[in-house]
Amino acid sequence: MQKNMTDRTPGSYDDFVAYLGTVRTEEELFSRLTYWFAGQNRPEDVLSRSELVEARAKELGFWQGLTFRMERWLTDGKSELEAVGREEFRSRIAEDYAAYREKADAARARFRDRRRAAPLNFTPDCLENVPIQNVSWLVDGLLPMGEVSLLGADGGTGKGIWQAQLIAYVTAGRTSGFFPQPPEKTGSVLIFSGEDDPGKVLKARLTAAGADMSRVMVVTSDAYFARTGSPLCIPDTSFAKYVGKAAPALVIIDPLQSFLPAGVEMASRNQMRSALLPLKALCAKHGCAALISMHTNKRANVSGRARLADSSDIWDIARSVLMMGRDKNSEKLYLSHEKSSYSAPARTALLHIEQAQVEGVKTAVAVFDSRTDKKDADFVEERRVRTAQTKEDTAQTILDILSESKTASMGSEELCAEVLKQMNCSKRTFDNARAELKQAGKIKTVKLRERDGRNKNYIMLSYCGETSCDVRNI
């Protein structure tokens, strides 16, 4: 239980923590009294007192020149102590401390008075008194205002290029096959970018898509770290200040992994919910939509929720979830609306990427092709269509299946069954194709000892490294 102020020993760790909680200005933080507090280090202290001062400075947003400011504060405190002597310095500290306690006691008294005048109401809301509200949309049926939405995609499938179409729609009202209906109103977009450079990537890409550059703002994780020496994270005060100052209609965080606090495990539901709740609160406060962009995991033959980088809680928090991938047969990209809490999911968009140039700089644009009723699971589970049955085609199929395998290897019997299933070729054609690939050095056959002690034959790509198992070449 936290001690009352009157119970705290002056200069103790608890007293120092309470004092820092009352500090609001840079002058108060880097003061003579703080210097005295910081010099009262004791073995039972939980954290270094100078580290607490630095942490409080960051919490208050005093990032500019913080290292220099900390050094100057310590130097000034030491100089004053040496100049006036220890007794005079103690006398000044006593006055400062008395003024602090008087101010803190007065603040506590005012807080108690407010509590007594307006006691907390723990009565739950009765739904009979709650008005029914319509959902406001940034993109009708796709991105709700005041909520968090999610875009998941494998690397290289063009999620950033599709996002450029979205940004053009929000900032300039640019319609397309992706967004056929004009927006009710346009607005600005704030991008938190952890990968794409504004000058080398973003500006050319967004210009090619037709976005209004005067309404696009960007904060990069690299630039923020270079200025402050600390990573920018969603729960930070600085993150909230960026959103508040920009007042955007849409906030894009790309990718999510770049703006999570250190130590947050994406597989931990509680940690992910704690990290994302501040973003949800910001959306509700400012009435904007947020789109989290994130990489999918590398698990084979999974779709939807299971593809999202180990944490299903991200899926649960998001009110709308979009998934991008590649059609195995047409090689077209798809954008599937997998979850919609406030409307029926939209039909899946099929698209392709075309090259473009802006002021001599190469970039790319997303081009809408058509709509389909197929969803992410349909594309993931769909097997690649094979039409030819020659030995050469069978050999290529063997290489394709191995390369798509998580370990670039497969049991000999399982590989044979999969090739025969896809190619409808004979076992003899498979054996001949496998022999030629082995002779050409493209694959190798090894014998692995299983956990039950039995040996099993595996076929793997030649570049696949040896395992730690007991392996013998056949």
Side-chain angles (χ1 to χ4, degrees):
M1 182 179 296
Q2 189 177 19
K3 297 180 181 179
N4 293 325
M5 287 195 63
T6 53
D7 298 332
R8 298 190 185 108
T9 303
S12 67
Y13 186 83
D14 288 340
D15 193 28
F16 182 44
V17 172
Y19 163 74
L20 287 179
T22 68
V23 168
R24 294 292 183 270
T25 68
E26 190 171 356
E27 290 73 22
E28 289 176 332
L29 181 62
F30 297 113
S31 65
R32 176 174 55 210
L33 182 57
T34 308
Y35 176 80
W36 173 78
F37 265 118
Q40 307 302 306
N41 283 309
R42 300 177 184 182
E44 63 269 19
D45 287 358
V46 179
L47 296 172
S48 164
R49 298 195 180 198
S50 60
E51 289 178 355
L52 287 176
V53 174
E54 184 175 357
R56 181 58 173 162
K58 293 179 179 179
E59 188 177 13
L60 293 171
F62 305 149
W63 295 90
Q64 190 68 32
L66 179 57
T67 301
F68 171 75
R69 189 71 184 87
M70 290 281 295
E71 292 177 353
R72 191 176 70 180
W73 161 66
L74 292 172
T75 301
D76 290 347
K78 182 178 180 182
S79 298
E80 182 179 359
L81 173 61
E82 293 174 347
V84 303
R86 189 171 298 277
E87 291 302 320
E88 174 61 22
F89 190 78
R90 286 178 177 173
S91 176
R92 295 181 181 183
I93 290 298
E95 294 178 2
D96 294 343
Y97 186 81
Y100 145 64
R101 290 293 290 260
E102 182 179 355
K103 179 180 176 182
D105 289 340
R108 292 178 71 247
R110 289 194 299 272
F111 178 75
R112 284 198 304 267
D113 292 342
R114 288 197 299 269
R115 286 283 299 273
R116 289 167 183 164
L120 290 175
N121 183 6
F122 293 102
T123 303
D125 291 333
C126 177
L127 274 181
E128 185 179 14
N129 302 321
V130 176
I132 296 177
Q133 299 177 344
N134 286 321
V135 176
S136 298
W137 297 94
L138 178 65
V139 180
D140 189 39
L142 198 69
L143 299 181
M145 299 294 282
E147 300 285 358
V148 175
S149 298
L150 175 64
L151 171 62
D154 298 333
T157 51
K159 66 182 186 305
I161 301 175
W162 175 82
Q163 283 175 179
Q165 297 292 320
L166 172 63
I167 294 170
Y169 178 73
V170 173
T171 60
R174 185 181 177 89
T175 58
S176 64
F178 301 111
F179 314 107
Q181 299 299 322
E184 291 187 5
K185 62 178 181 179
T186 57
S188 59
V189 175
L190 174 59
I191 305 172
F192 289 95
S193 177
E195 294 179 347
D196 293 330
D197 184 271
K200 297 176 182 177
V201 178
L202 289 178
K203 188 168 184 179
R205 177 185 291 170
L206 297 179
T207 300
D212 182 347
M213 293 295 103
S214 68
R215 308 180 83 177
V216 181
M217 293 154 284
V218 62
V219 179
T220 68
S221 56
D222 289 345
Y224 184 86
F225 186 84
R227 289 199 310 270
T228 67
S230 299
L232 178 62
C233 301
I234 292 172
D236 292 349
T237 302
S238 298
F239 190 97
K241 288 182 177 179
Y242 278 124
V243 176
K245 188 172 183 179
L250 174 63
V251 176
I252 293 178
I253 302 171
D254 185 10
L256 169 64
Q257 287 90 331
S258 295
F259 297 95
L260 290 176
V264 169
E265 295 288 342
M266 294 194 72
S268 170
R269 294 177 64 89
N270 290 337
Q271 290 184 20
M272 285 305 302
R273 184 165 288 271
S274 297
L276 293 180
L277 279 179
L279 177 62
K280 185 175 176 65
L282 282 174
C283 291
K285 178 180 178 180
H286 298 288
C288 60
L291 179 64
I292 294 174
S293 180
M294 64 180 294
H295 301 303
T296 53
N297 55 44
K298 304 301 181 184
R299 293 169 58 190
N301 300 320
V302 296
S303 60
R305 178 193 292 262
R307 289 179 64 198
L308 292 179
D310 304 325
S311 179
S312 61
D313 213 53
I314 307 174
W315 178 289
D316 295 334
I317 291 174
R319 299 295 85 193
S320 180
V321 178
L322 302 164
M323 298 293 293
M324 287 192 72
R326 190 181 299 276
D327 187 339
K328 297 176 182 177
N329 293 305
S330 69
E331 291 301 310
K332 286 186 177 182
L333 303 171
Y334 65 85
L335 178 74
S336 174
H337 196 190
E338 293 292 303
K339 174 186 174 181
S340 183
S341 297
Y342 301 133
S343 69
R347 297 182 70 209
T348 298
L350 297 177
L351 61 143
H352 68 276
I353 306 298
E354 290 185 357
Q355 300 303 308
Q357 278 198 1
V358 176
E359 298 179 8
V361 176
K362 293 182 179 180
T363 185
V365 293
V367 179
F368 176 84
D369 289 322
S370 61
R371 296 266 177 193
T372 178
D373 291 325
K374 293 168 62 176
K375 292 297 183 182
D376 185 55
D378 299 317
F379 288 103
V380 171
E381 294 169 5
E382 186 177 50
R383 64 186 179 90
R384 184 176 281 109
V385 176
R386 308 288 186 179
T387 55
Q389 300 178 20
T390 65
K391 182 173 61 178
E392 290 75 16
D393 292 320
T394 303
Q396 185 59 50
T397 302
I398 293 174
L399 296 176
D400 288 344
I401 293 174
L402 290 176
S403 64
E404 291 172 1
S405 172
K406 187 175 181 180
T407 59
S409 65
M410 187 177 289
S412 298
E413 294 181 0
E414 290 85 351
L415 177 61
C416 178
E418 184 63 24
V419 171
L420 266 58
K421 176 182 175 182
Q422 292 193 23
M423 295 294 294
N424 196 27
C425 62
S426 66
K427 175 69 164 52
R428 181 177 179 181
T429 301
F430 169 80
D431 290 338
N432 290 338
R434 180 185 62 178
E436 286 200 1
L437 288 173
K438 184 177 179 181
Q439 187 176 5
K442 296 182 178 181
I443 63 171
K444 58 184 177 182
T445 307
V446 297
K447 183 172 291 186
L448 300 182
R449 181 163 294 149
E450 303 282 274
R451 291 183 178 180
D452 59 5
R454 293 183 299 175
N455 293 329
K456 182 175 179 179
N457 294 334
Y458 279 82
I459 297 176
M460 62 178 62
L461 295 175
S462 293
Y463 65 77
C464 180
E466 300 291 350
T467 69
S468 59
C469 303
D470 183 12
V471 178
R472 287 177 290 171
N473 285 319
I474 298 174

